[in-house]
């Protein structure tokens, strides 16, 4: 009997034996000196290229404003936006007699040799809201 008591006591001390299954399911408590894990703040919503695809010219101007440069040829167009950290190029395409719609976007650096963020990162850096 004494061996069984010693085995159970050692098992409890090592955390191998749990008397109450409800206790086993609980999250372990933090010890002294352990920092609490901060709750992840909600990410701010920003406009993405995927949300722009299919939008017409009026919708794009409503979200991004007037482009610094626009060029149209045939069934396509390209608008250039100079954002604080990058340049954003928005591509438009016309299907038949329909109005121009966004078909994609790319980004570039503001200065030669600068880093080129992805188009979604370019929009996020600028803080453009949907």
């Amino acid at each position: 009997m004494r061996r069984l008591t010693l085995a159970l006591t050692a098992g409890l001390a090592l955390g191998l034996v749990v008397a109450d299954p409800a206790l086993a399911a609980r999250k372990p408590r933090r010890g002294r000196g352990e920092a609490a894990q901060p709750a992840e703040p909600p990410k701010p919503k920003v406009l993405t290229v995927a949300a722009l695809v299919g939008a017409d010219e009026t919708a794009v101007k409503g979200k991004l404003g007037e482009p610094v440069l626009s060029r149209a040829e045939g069934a396509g167009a390209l608008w250039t936006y100079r954002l604080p950290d990058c340049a954003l190029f928005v591509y438009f395409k016309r299907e038949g007699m329909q109005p121009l719609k966004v078909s994609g976007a790319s980004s570039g650096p503001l200065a030669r040799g600068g880093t080129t963020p992805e188009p979604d990162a370019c929009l996020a850096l600028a803080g453009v809201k949907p």
Side-chain angles (χ1 to χ4, degrees), residues 51-108:
L52 276 178
V53 171
D56 63 10
E57 296 170 276
T58 305
V60 174
K61 284 182 182 177
K63 294 179 186 306
L64 298 173
E66 289 291 327
V68 293
L69 179 68
S70 63
R71 180 176 176 102
E73 282 190 31
L78 169 66
W79 289 4
T80 303
Y81 288 92
R82 182 177 288 274
L83 301 176
D85 297 305
C86 55
L88 181 71
F89 309 104
V90 181
Y91 305 103
F92 291 86
K93 186 177 179 182
R94 182 185 323 272
E95 296 289 333
M97 298 302 292
Q98 299 294 318
L100 287 169
K101 303 258 182 178
V102 175
S103 61
S106 63
S107 57

Side-chain angles (χ1 to χ4, degrees), residues 30-42:
R30 290 188 309 273
R32 290 185 185 177
E34 288 184 42
Q37 295 295 330
E40 202 169 308

